[in-house]
PDB file of all heavy atoms in Angstrom:
ATOM      1  N   PHE A   1       0.856  -1.176   0.000  1.00 98.00           N
ATOM      2  CA  PHE A   1       0.000   0.000   0.000  1.00 98.00           C
ATOM      3  C   PHE A   1       0.899   1.235   0.000  1.00 98.00           C
ATOM      4  O   PHE A   1       1.857   1.315   0.778  1.00 98.00           O
ATOM      5  CB  PHE A   1      -0.934  -0.016   1.199  1.00 98.00           C
ATOM      6  CG  PHE A   1      -1.931  -1.149   1.156  1.00 98.00           C
ATOM      7  CD1 PHE A   1      -1.596  -2.398   1.654  1.00 98.00           C
ATOM      8  CD2 PHE A   1      -3.172  -0.968   0.588  1.00 98.00           C
ATOM      9  CE1 PHE A   1      -2.500  -3.458   1.587  1.00 98.00           C
ATOM     10  CE2 PHE A   1      -4.087  -2.017   0.518  1.00 98.00           C
ATOM     11  CZ  PHE A   1      -3.752  -3.262   1.020  1.00 98.00           C
ATOM     12  N   VAL A   2       0.593   2.169  -0.875  1.00 98.00           N
ATOM     13  CA  VAL A   2       1.480   3.299  -1.149  1.00 98.00           C
ATOM     14  C   VAL A   2       0.722   4.610  -0.992  1.00 98.00           C
ATOM     15  O   VAL A   2      -0.404   4.752  -1.505  1.00 98.00           O
ATOM     16  CB  VAL A   2       2.046   3.206  -2.588  1.00 98.00           C
ATOM     17  CG1 VAL A   2       2.984   4.381  -2.869  1.00 98.00           C
ATOM     18  CG2 VAL A   2       2.748   1.877  -2.815  1.00 98.00           C
ATOM     19  N   THR A   3       1.338   5.565  -0.287  1.00 98.00           N
ATOM     20  CA  THR A   3       0.797   6.920  -0.291  1.00 98.00           C
ATOM     21  C   THR A   3       1.392   7.650  -1.494  1.00 98.00           C
ATOM     22  O   THR A   3       2.577   7.958  -1.530  1.00 98.00           O
ATOM     23  CB  THR A   3       1.133   7.667   1.014  1.00 98.00           C
ATOM     24  OG1 THR A   3       2.528   7.546   1.285  1.00 98.00           O
ATOM     25  CG2 THR A   3       0.350   7.116   2.182  1.00 98.00           C
ATOM     26  N   ASP A   4       0.547   7.889  -2.472  1.00 98.00           N
ATOM     27  CA  ASP A   4       0.957   8.545  -3.721  1.00 98.00           C
ATOM     28  C   ASP A   4       0.730  10.038  -3.502  1.00 98.00           C
ATOM     29  O   ASP A   4      -0.312  10.592  -3.861  1.00 98.00           O
ATOM     30  CB  ASP A   4       0.115   7.974  -4.853  1.00 98.00           C
ATOM     31  CG  ASP A   4       0.679   8.298  -6.224  1.00 98.00           C
ATOM     32  OD1 ASP A   4       1.760   8.887  -6.305  1.00 98.00           O
ATOM     33  OD2 ASP A   4       0.012   7.952  -7.223  1.00 98.00           O
ATOM     34  N   SER A   5       1.734  10.697  -2.916  1.00 98.00           N
ATOM     35  CA  SER A   5       1.489  11.981  -2.255  1.00 98.00           C
ATOM     36  C   SER A   5       1.001  13.093  -3.169  1.00 98.00           C
ATOM     37  O   SER A   5       0.061  13.813  -2.830  1.00 98.00           O
ATOM     38  CB  SER A   5       2.745  12.421  -1.500  1.00 98.00           C
ATOM     39  OG  SER A   5       3.808  12.659  -2.385  1.00 98.00           O
ATOM     40  N   LEU A   6       1.617  13.274  -4.327  1.00 98.00           N
ATOM     41  CA  LEU A   6       1.199  14.379  -5.188  1.00 98.00           C
ATOM     42  C   LEU A   6      -0.011  14.021  -6.049  1.00 98.00           C
ATOM     43  O   LEU A   6      -0.565  14.892  -6.729  1.00 98.00           O
ATOM     44  CB  LEU A   6       2.369  14.856  -6.051  1.00 98.00           C
ATOM     45  CG  LEU A   6       3.522  15.498  -5.274  1.00 98.00           C
ATOM     46  CD1 LEU A   6       4.568  16.055  -6.217  1.00 98.00           C
ATOM     47  CD2 LEU A   6       3.016  16.596  -4.336  1.00 98.00           C
ATOM     48  N   ASN A   7      -0.418  12.758  -6.018  1.00 98.00           N
ATOM     49  CA  ASN A   7      -1.720  12.385  -6.584  1.00 98.00           C
ATOM     50  C   ASN A   7      -2.813  12.441  -5.534  1.00 98.00           C
ATOM     51  O   ASN A   7      -3.995  12.265  -5.863  1.00 98.00           O
ATOM     52  CB  ASN A   7      -1.665  10.974  -7.184  1.00 98.00           C
ATOM     53  CG  ASN A   7      -1.171  10.966  -8.614  1.00 98.00           C
ATOM     54  OD1 ASN A   7      -1.434  11.891  -9.382  1.00 98.00           O
ATOM     55  ND2 ASN A   7      -0.439   9.924  -8.983  1.00 98.00           N
ATOM     56  N   HIS A   8      -2.429  12.636  -4.257  1.00 98.00           N
ATOM     57  CA  HIS A   8      -3.385  12.710  -3.148  1.00 98.00           C
ATOM     58  C   HIS A   8      -4.243  11.444  -3.095  1.00 98.00           C
ATOM     59  O   HIS A   8      -5.459  11.508  -2.895  1.00 98.00           O
ATOM     60  CB  HIS A   8      -4.276  13.948  -3.277  1.00 98.00           C
ATOM     61  CG  HIS A   8      -3.523  15.195  -3.625  1.00 98.00           C
ATOM     62  ND1 HIS A   8      -2.607  15.780  -2.779  1.00 98.00           N
ATOM     63  CD2 HIS A   8      -3.512  15.953  -4.758  1.00 98.00           C
ATOM     64  CE1 HIS A   8      -2.079  16.847  -3.357  1.00 98.00           C
ATOM     65  NE2 HIS A   8      -2.603  16.969  -4.559  1.00 98.00           N
ATOM     66  N   ALA A   9      -3.595  10.297  -3.281  1.00 98.00           N
ATOM     67  CA  ALA A   9      -4.326   9.034  -3.373  1.00 98.00           C
ATOM     68  C   ALA A   9      -3.567   7.919  -2.670  1.00 98.00           C
ATOM     69  O   ALA A   9      -2.354   8.007  -2.443  1.00 98.00           O
ATOM     70  CB  ALA A   9      -4.557   8.661  -4.837  1.00 98.00           C
ATOM     71  N   ILE A  10      -4.286   6.848  -2.344  1.00 98.00           N
ATOM     72  CA  ILE A  10      -3.706   5.654  -1.744  1.00 98.00           C
ATOM     73  C   ILE A  10      -3.812   4.537  -2.771  1.00 98.00           C
ATOM     74  O   ILE A  10      -4.894   4.236  -3.274  1.00 98.00           O
ATOM     75  CB  ILE A  10      -4.436   5.252  -0.446  1.00 98.00           C
ATOM     76  CG1 ILE A  10      -4.603   6.467   0.482  1.00 98.00           C
ATOM     77  CG2 ILE A  10      -3.682   4.120   0.242  1.00 98.00           C
ATOM     78  CD1 ILE A  10      -3.323   7.153   0.881  1.00 98.00           C
ATOM     79  N   ARG A  11      -2.672   3.929  -3.069  1.00 98.00           N
ATOM     80  CA  ARG A  11      -2.612   2.907  -4.115  1.00 98.00           C
ATOM     81  C   ARG A  11      -2.305   1.535  -3.508  1.00 98.00           C
ATOM     82  O   ARG A  11      -1.720   1.431  -2.430  1.00 98.00           O
ATOM     83  CB  ARG A  11      -1.521   3.251  -5.137  1.00 98.00           C
ATOM     84  CG  ARG A  11      -1.463   4.711  -5.578  1.00 98.00           C
ATOM     85  CD  ARG A  11      -2.649   5.112  -6.446  1.00 98.00           C
ATOM     86  NE  ARG A  11      -2.624   4.482  -7.762  1.00 98.00           N
ATOM     87  CZ  ARG A  11      -1.892   4.916  -8.795  1.00 98.00           C
ATOM     88  NH1 ARG A  11      -1.082   5.958  -8.647  1.00 98.00           N
ATOM     89  NH2 ARG A  11      -1.951   4.296  -9.974  1.00 98.00           N
ATOM     90  N   LYS A  12      -2.679   0.495  -4.221  1.00 98.00           N
ATOM     91  CA  LYS A  12      -2.411  -0.887  -3.818  1.00 98.00           C
ATOM     92  C   LYS A  12      -1.680  -1.600  -4.946  1.00 98.00           C
ATOM     93  O   LYS A  12      -2.038  -1.456  -6.117  1.00 98.00           O
ATOM     94  CB  LYS A  12      -3.720  -1.618  -3.498  1.00 98.00           C
ATOM     95  CG  LYS A  12      -3.542  -3.087  -3.131  1.00 98.00           C
ATOM     96  CD  LYS A  12      -4.893  -3.758  -2.875  1.00 98.00           C
ATOM     97  CE  LYS A  12      -4.730  -5.240  -2.569  1.00 98.00           C
ATOM     98  NZ  LYS A  12      -6.042  -5.907  -2.306  1.00 98.00           N
ATOM     99  N   ILE A  13      -0.647  -2.371  -4.577  1.00 98.00           N
ATOM    100  CA  ILE A  13       0.102  -3.164  -5.550  1.00 98.00           C
ATOM    101  C   ILE A  13       0.031  -4.628  -5.116  1.00 98.00           C
ATOM    102  O   ILE A  13       0.459  -4.976  -4.014  1.00 98.00           O
ATOM    103  CB  ILE A  13       1.575  -2.732  -5.642  1.00 98.00           C
ATOM    104  CG1 ILE A  13       1.692  -1.220  -5.855  1.00 98.00           C
ATOM    105  CG2 ILE A  13       2.281  -3.482  -6.764  1.00 98.00           C
ATOM    106  CD1 ILE A  13       3.117  -0.701  -5.798  1.00 98.00           C
ATOM    107  N   THR A  14      -0.499  -5.482  -5.944  1.00 97.00           N
ATOM    108  CA  THR A  14      -0.573  -6.900  -5.633  1.00 97.00           C
ATOM    109  C   THR A  14       0.814  -7.530  -5.768  1.00 97.00           C
ATOM    110  O   THR A  14       1.723  -6.936  -6.374  1.00 97.00           O
ATOM    111  CB  THR A  14      -1.542  -7.615  -6.580  1.00 97.00           C
ATOM    112  OG1 THR A  14      -0.995  -7.585  -7.908  1.00 97.00           O
ATOM    113  CG2 THR A  14      -2.915  -6.960  -6.567  1.00 97.00           C
ATOM    114  N   PRO A  15       1.003  -8.748  -5.216  1.00 95.00           N
ATOM    115  CA  PRO A  15       2.306  -9.407  -5.371  1.00 95.00           C
ATOM    116  C   PRO A  15       2.722  -9.579  -6.829  1.00 95.00           C
ATOM    117  O   PRO A  15       3.920  -9.639  -7.137  1.00 95.00           O
ATOM    118  CB  PRO A  15       2.097 -10.759  -4.687  1.00 95.00           C
ATOM    119  CG  PRO A  15       1.039 -10.490  -3.672  1.00 95.00           C
ATOM    120  CD  PRO A  15       0.114  -9.498  -4.315  1.00 95.00           C
ATOM    121  N   GLY A  16       1.744  -9.628  -7.745  1.00 93.00           N
ATOM    122  CA  GLY A  16       2.055  -9.757  -9.163  1.00 93.00           C
ATOM    123  C   GLY A  16       2.354  -8.445  -9.859  1.00 93.00           C
ATOM    124  O   GLY A  16       2.641  -8.422 -11.063  1.00 93.00           O
ATOM    125  N   GLY A  17       2.276  -7.302  -9.106  1.00 95.00           N
ATOM    126  CA  GLY A  17       2.639  -6.008  -9.670  1.00 95.00           C
ATOM    127  C   GLY A  17       1.501  -5.212 -10.264  1.00 95.00           C
ATOM    128  O   GLY A  17       1.733  -4.205 -10.936  1.00 95.00           O
ATOM    129  N   SER A  18       0.248  -5.628 -10.002  1.00 98.00           N
ATOM    130  CA  SER A  18      -0.903  -4.891 -10.526  1.00 98.00           C
ATOM    131  C   SER A  18      -1.262  -3.751  -9.572  1.00 98.00           C
ATOM    132  O   SER A  18      -1.453  -3.961  -8.367  1.00 98.00           O
ATOM    133  CB  SER A  18      -2.100  -5.829 -10.683  1.00 98.00           C
ATOM    134  OG  SER A  18      -3.228  -5.129 -11.155  1.00 98.00           O
ATOM    135  N   VAL A  19      -1.355  -2.532 -10.112  1.00 98.00           N
ATOM    136  CA  VAL A  19      -1.583  -1.331  -9.309  1.00 98.00           C
ATOM    137  C   VAL A  19      -3.024  -0.856  -9.470  1.00 98.00           C
ATOM    138  O   VAL A  19      -3.537  -0.756 -10.590  1.00 98.00           O
ATOM    139  CB  VAL A  19      -0.627  -0.205  -9.730  1.00 98.00           C
ATOM    140  CG1 VAL A  19      -0.882   1.061  -8.917  1.00 98.00           C
ATOM    141  CG2 VAL A  19       0.823  -0.650  -9.582  1.00 98.00           C
ATOM    142  N   SER A  20      -3.672  -0.555  -8.335  1.00 98.00           N
ATOM    143  CA  SER A  20      -5.015   0.031  -8.349  1.00 98.00           C
ATOM    144  C   SER A  20      -5.071   1.160  -7.320  1.00 98.00           C
ATOM    145  O   SER A  20      -4.194   1.281  -6.457  1.00 98.00           O
ATOM    146  CB  SER A  20      -6.073  -1.032  -8.029  1.00 98.00           C
ATOM    147  OG  SER A  20      -5.845  -1.597  -6.745  1.00 98.00           O
ATOM    148  N   THR A  21      -6.093   1.989  -7.429  1.00 98.00           N
ATOM    149  CA  THR A  21      -6.301   3.090  -6.479  1.00 98.00           C
ATOM    150  C   THR A  21      -7.436   2.699  -5.547  1.00 98.00           C
ATOM    151  O   THR A  21      -8.538   2.395  -6.005  1.00 98.00           O
ATOM    152  CB  THR A  21      -6.647   4.386  -7.213  1.00 98.00           C
ATOM    153  OG1 THR A  21      -5.584   4.717  -8.119  1.00 98.00           O
ATOM    154  CG2 THR A  21      -6.850   5.533  -6.240  1.00 98.00           C
ATOM    155  N   ILE A  22      -7.162   2.701  -4.220  1.00 98.00           N
ATOM    156  CA  ILE A  22      -8.207   2.277  -3.287  1.00 98.00           C
ATOM    157  C   ILE A  22      -8.911   3.442  -2.611  1.00 98.00           C
ATOM    158  O   ILE A  22     -10.038   3.292  -2.139  1.00 98.00           O
ATOM    159  CB  ILE A  22      -7.657   1.312  -2.226  1.00 98.00           C
ATOM    160  CG1 ILE A  22      -6.655   2.013  -1.308  1.00 98.00           C
ATOM    161  CG2 ILE A  22      -7.035   0.080  -2.872  1.00 98.00           C
ATOM    162  CD1 ILE A  22      -6.315   1.204  -0.058  1.00 98.00           C
ATOM    163  N   ALA A  23      -8.291   4.614  -2.558  1.00 98.00           N
ATOM    164  CA  ALA A  23      -8.923   5.750  -1.893  1.00 98.00           C
ATOM    165  C   ALA A  23      -8.329   7.049  -2.417  1.00 98.00           C
ATOM    166  O   ALA A  23      -7.142   7.131  -2.707  1.00 98.00           O
ATOM    167  CB  ALA A  23      -8.746   5.662  -0.385  1.00 98.00           C
ATOM    168  N   GLY A  24      -9.186   8.056  -2.520  1.00 98.00           N
ATOM    169  CA  GLY A  24      -8.766   9.341  -3.053  1.00 98.00           C
ATOM    170  C   GLY A  24      -8.962   9.408  -4.551  1.00 98.00           C
ATOM    171  O   GLY A  24      -9.169   8.380  -5.218  1.00 98.00           O
ATOM    172  N   LEU A  25      -8.922  10.621  -5.082  1.00 97.00           N
ATOM    173  CA  LEU A  25      -9.086  10.848  -6.520  1.00 97.00           C
ATOM    174  C   LEU A  25      -7.835  11.548  -7.029  1.00 97.00           C
ATOM    175  O   LEU A  25      -7.495  12.644  -6.574  1.00 97.00           O
ATOM    176  CB  LEU A  25     -10.335  11.698  -6.793  1.00 97.00           C
ATOM    177  CG  LEU A  25     -10.686  11.927  -8.258  1.00 97.00           C
ATOM    178  CD1 LEU A  25     -10.993  10.598  -8.954  1.00 97.00           C
ATOM    179  CD2 LEU A  25     -11.877  12.873  -8.375  1.00 97.00           C
TER     180      LEU A  25
END
């Protein structure tokens, strides 16, 4: 789980490397 600071969003990366946004726009 990553704080993507200048996107103002919280991202998730699965063990296989797939990235999604779980919170924030």
